[in-house]
Amino acid sequence: MNHISRSEFLKLGGLSLLSALVSDAVLANDSFFSATATKVDSLLMNKLLSTNDARVEQLLQKELTDSAIRLSSFRSLANSIAVLSASVSHSESKFYKSKIVVERLYQSADVLLKGQYSDGTVDAGGNRQSPPDTAFVLEWICSAATVLNLNKQKQLEDLRNKLKKFIQNAGEAMITGGVHTPNHRWVVCAALANINSLYPDVRYINRINQWLAEGIYLNQDGHYSERSGVYSAVIDKALITMATLLNKPQLLDIVQKNLITYYYYTEPNGDLVTVDSRRQDQFLNLTVTKFYLQYRFMAIHTGNPMFVYMVHLIEKSPDFARSILSDSLVEFMTIPVLQQQISLESKVENDFAKFFAISNLARIRRGKTAITLFGGNDKPVLIVSGRSSNPNFLMYRKGDAILKYMRLSSSFFRMGYFSSDGIEKVGNKYILKETKEADYYQPLAPEFLKADGDYQLSESKDKRFWNKMDFDNRVVSNVKKQTTVIEIEENNGALSIDFKVDGPPNVEITIEMCFKEGTEIAGATLVEKGNYFLKSGNATLNIGNDVIHLGPGMAEHQNVNNLDSEEYTYHQGSLRTEGLHVYITGLTPFQHKMTIS
């Protein structure tokens, strides 16, 4: 294995920790970067330093957790140790060699060691003695140890030993411990690479190779198996760590493909498309900010204008200071190439229709209009982490005017929202289709009868419910089917939508549209619970000067409760979100055409 220690990597990176703000050039790592001298982004470095110092001031004003109270999660503590370590080690920081910071670091390290089990792990919420969660903690602690080791302040010698003890104990857990999810493997590998760079041991490398032998899945859409923005950022960061510290530049090819995908998944304001995720973020509002270090590293490494654009987009985002500047100084100190100034200009396409066939997701950008179409849920739809189940099939933005989602629900046997069986793309038309089926059941044959009526508790064949009915041995009858087809045609950012729902008559169909809070609505009728019905004609929905036009509407019923499947409502759950809800309703056989522009 051809690997380099962290100290060697830092030397190759060129910037010393004590001259980060005044150095004129960075000598790049020969394995990954051009050898030509490049300027340091002094403005960014000053922001990182001042914001890190401000965070230190906040930390010092807070009481450290009482040592008698056991922590249930250690990531926040580890993050604080990294932030404190960065300022106490940086010669331009107001807290450089600060005794009060040193005292807090010693106290924090003692809490950290107290919470570590004999096997090297720590807890994280419900995950007890968790190797992968310990790996997330190590990400910060190894960075802290790196800057402290390089600075070598005498007053911090015992602290460095305490962190070394924690890291090496945790290293034993990384060598032997297991994981839960796909991304955990690479987080553990990154932790092992970090530990090995500080305290080399061939066992760390052997364990990394054991995990890598499983292969890193990336599909043709550029997605990891979890299709999650949260965990794609985590994996990209882990692969960058392994690529640099283990001299495995081929891992950066994987990162590059994933980051290109997330360029297309990013809205003009930095919001991230998450509708196709298989993890918890499929129902969360996220921004692309968590990809900042990854895009910056790869922008420097490749010069790709797409990545340069993303760096500048994130730097302008409202959450940049809180999410990046507040705690990333330590990472810029441990990965000096991040300090390089990148191009101020980047020409990227702002007019595209990109279809991700495996995810069954389309992203369309026409100037300030951004459109997402989705039809790629995992079937059968199950409400569980690790499977895609989001019912949003259309999202539409025009500047600040935002249709957060469009859904279609049917009262057909209370089976809930439409969930397409993929997307068929024909030219600029996208066809979504789903067939739902519900059964009735005949009496059991004589050979399956039981005198006491105590039959097996089983799932119905249409998977809608469970009962002690021995469904497997019953013949189905009176089978009912409902087929929904939605055809969406895009023309220069305008959408023509054709809905068709066939099956049993008089089934309630509800088209649900949720708009961003603060939207002004004209043309729709306000009813109870803040709901609007577009009964006929067209509606305009605007925030400021940005306007979305849609219609015509129709309203053949007003039952817009319990739109979720029984899977949710049985537990009093709901997928209804915050926002302004506009409804179009009808009865089967249902056919309705409308436009959005």
Side-chain angles (χ1 to χ4, degrees):
M1 169 62 65
N2 179 18
H3 61 274
I4 57 177
S5 70
R6 184 179 288 274
S7 61
E8 290 172 324
F9 172 65
L10 288 166
K11 290 175 183 176
L12 287 168
L15 281 177
S16 74
L17 298 178
L18 305 184
S19 61
L21 299 182
V22 296
S23 176
D24 289 329
V26 179
L27 297 178
N29 182 337
D30 291 339
S31 297
F32 300 99
F33 301 96
S34 167
T36 57
T38 54
K39 295 289 185 180
V40 173
D41 191 335
S42 299
L43 179 61
L44 175 62
M45 291 307 301
N46 276 311
K47 288 180 180 179
L48 284 163
L49 183 59
S50 62
T51 311
N52 198 86
D53 280 354
R55 175 82 187 286
V56 170
E57 289 177 346
Q58 293 175 350
L59 290 172
L60 294 176
Q61 290 171 5
K62 295 180 180 179
E63 290 291 330
L64 194 65
T65 303
D66 188 336
S67 59
I69 300 175
R70 184 171 185 87
L71 293 178
S72 61
S73 179
F74 291 83
R75 291 196 201 183
S76 178
L77 177 64
N79 174 270
S80 299
I81 290 173
V83 168
L84 294 165
S85 297
S87 282
V88 81
S89 301
H90 201 300
S91 64
E92 299 297 323
S93 167
K94 67 173 69 175
F95 295 105
Y96 181 53
K97 296 186 177 180
S98 163
K99 285 184 169 48
I100 188 172
V101 172
V102 171
E103 180 181 358
R104 176 57 68 94
L105 277 167
Y106 273 104
Q107 293 170 344
S108 299
D110 287 339
V111 174
L112 186 68
L113 282 168
K114 182 180 178 181
Q116 189 175 39
Y117 290 101
S118 59
D119 67 352
T121 61
V122 294
D123 293 330
N127 293 341
R128 316 312 293 177
Q129 296 175 280
S130 169
D133 289 289
T134 305
F136 281 108
V137 169
L138 282 166
E139 183 178 359
W140 292 113
I141 297 303
C142 287
S143 292
T146 298
V147 298
L148 294 171
N149 288 354
L150 286 168
N151 195 238
K152 295 191 183 305
Q153 294 179 37
K154 183 68 176 176
Q155 62 180 339
L156 293 172
E157 183 176 352
D158 288 342
L159 176 67
R160 292 194 293 272
N161 290 332
K162 287 176 182 288
L163 294 186
K164 180 179 181 180
K165 179 180 179 182
F166 177 86
I167 291 168
Q168 289 187 316
N169 287 344
E172 297 303 310
M174 299 300 98
I175 291 171
T176 60
V179 300
H180 287 144
T181 60
N183 74 83
H184 282 174
R185 296 170 295 177
W186 318 130
V187 174
V188 167
C189 286
L192 287 164
N194 277 318
I195 300 170
N196 185 72
S197 71
L198 289 163
Y199 316 111
D201 187 326
V202 69
R203 296 180 303 150
Y204 302 144
I205 303 301
N206 290 341
R207 185 63 164 177
I208 290 171
N209 289 335
Q210 188 177 5
W211 284 118
L212 285 176
E214 293 189 2
I216 301 171
Y217 175 83
L218 189 82
N219 65 26
Q220 292 179 345
D221 283 348
H223 277 302
Y224 302 113
S225 62
E226 293 172 289
R227 282 192 335 212
S228 161
V230 169
Y231 295 110
S232 290
V234 166
I235 295 171
D236 288 341
K237 193 172 185 180
L239 297 184
I240 289 171
T241 297
M242 285 190 279
T244 54
L245 295 181
L246 303 176
N247 194 19
K248 290 181 175 290
Q250 66 273 19
L251 296 179
L252 298 182
D253 295 337
I254 300 173
V255 175
Q256 177 165 268
K257 292 174 183 176
N258 183 252
L259 291 181
I260 289 173
T261 292
Y262 276 95
Y263 163 78
Y264 289 108
Y265 270 57
T266 302
E267 301 286 12
N269 69 344
D271 287 349
L272 206 59
V273 171
T274 61
V275 65
D276 61 336
S277 173
R278 288 192 168 106
R279 298 298 303 276
Q280 65 271 25
D281 54 315
Q282 65 182 286
F283 295 108
L284 299 179
N285 296 320
L286 299 179
T287 70
V288 75
T289 307
K290 62 178 67 276
F291 283 90
Y292 176 71
L293 296 177
Q294 299 86 323
Y295 274 117
R296 186 173 188 90
F297 183 95
M298 293 300 290
I300 294 168
H301 173 57
T302 67
N304 187 329
M306 191 180 285
F307 300 161
V308 173
Y309 167 84
M310 294 300 287
V311 169
H312 294 317
L313 176 70
I314 295 170
E315 288 176 345
K316 296 173 186 175
S317 66
D319 60 342
F320 180 64
R322 174 181 54 83
S323 299
I324 301 299
L325 294 179
S326 65
D327 60 11
S328 294
L329 176 63
V330 70
E331 299 193 75
F332 278 73
M333 293 169 71
T334 56
I335 311 174
V337 293
L338 291 173
Q339 300 181 22
Q340 293 185 26
Q341 192 173 73
I342 63 176
S343 171
L344 297 178
E345 295 184 3
S346 57
K347 294 182 179 180
V348 296
E349 57 179 335
N350 195 36
D351 190 300
F352 59 79
K354 185 76 172 177
F355 183 49
F356 297 90
I358 298 175
S359 297
N360 284 286
L361 183 141
R363 285 284 294 156
I364 302 168
R365 180 81 61 83
R366 307 297 183 199
K368 67 188 302 184
T369 299
I371 303 165
T372 305
L373 306 176
F374 176 60
N377 279 332
D378 295 315
K379 295 298 182 83
V381 175
L382 299 176
I383 314 306
V384 63
S385 178
R387 292 178 69 86
S388 173
S389 59
N390 195 312
N392 304 346
F393 67 85
L394 187 155
M395 285 108 330
Y396 189 95
R397 295 179 176 224
K398 188 185 288 184
D400 291 330
I402 298 176
L403 170 58
K404 296 166 70 173
Y405 59 77
M406 177 183 282
R407 301 169 176 171
L408 184 145
S409 183
S410 163
S411 64
F412 180 80
F413 290 87
R414 297 191 66 188
M415 295 177 75
Y417 286 114
F418 166 82
S419 182
S420 184
D421 295 317
I423 295 179
E424 180 185 359
K425 185 177 185 300
V426 182
N428 62 339
K429 180 181 289 187
Y430 301 84
I431 303 170
L432 294 78
K433 181 178 180 180
E434 181 194 37
T435 298
K436 295 182 185 294
E437 180 177 304
D439 308 329
Y440 292 91
Y441 301 91
Q442 291 294 312
L444 285 169
E447 62 266 29
F448 300 115
L449 297 176
K450 292 185 177 182
D452 61 1
D454 187 10
Y455 298 104
Q456 180 182 354
L457 178 65
S458 58
E459 185 179 21
S460 64
K461 290 185 177 182
D462 55 18
K463 300 188 179 301
R464 293 191 298 115
F465 56 89
W466 288 67
N467 265 314
K468 289 177 68 66
M469 290 278 289
D470 192 10
F471 290 111
D472 286 345
N473 289 314
R474 292 182 185 269
V475 174
V476 300
S477 67
N478 311 86
V479 177
K480 305 300 178 185
K481 291 185 179 182
Q482 177 179 275
T483 299
T484 301
V485 179
I486 304 175
E487 296 185 358
I488 304 172
E489 187 170 353
E490 185 266 335
N491 184 13
N492 196 29
L495 299 180
S496 299
I497 310 174
D498 187 0
F499 299 91
K500 296 177 184 176
V501 185
D502 294 319
N506 300 313
V507 173
E508 296 168 328
I509 302 299
T510 304
I511 298 170
E512 178 184 27
M513 294 169 282
C514 178
F515 291 86
K516 181 181 177 181
E517 299 87 332
T519 300
E520 295 181 9
I521 301 177
T525 303
L526 177 62
V527 294
E528 61 182 7
K529 298 181 180 180
N531 294 327
Y532 289 81
F533 282 89
L534 184 57
K535 296 182 178 180
S536 62
N538 298 314
T540 59
L541 305 103
N542 71 282
I543 291 183
N545 295 323
D546 295 319
V547 183
I548 294 175
H549 303 271
L550 63 85
M554 65 183 296
E556 294 184 344
H557 72 83
Q558 293 193 5
N559 179 19
V560 294
N561 298 315
N562 298 321
L563 299 179
D564 317 274
S565 69
E566 217 171 326
E567 203 164 1
Y568 285 98
T569 57
Y570 184 78
H571 297 281
Q572 292 78 52
S574 174
L575 285 171
R576 182 183 169 100
T577 67
E578 296 295 325
L580 301 179
H581 294 255
V582 179
Y583 296 95
I584 294 174
T585 65
L587 301 172
T588 56
F590 179 80
Q591 182 164 3
H592 184 69
K593 293 182 179 181
M594 64 179 293
T595 61
I596 300 178
S597 63

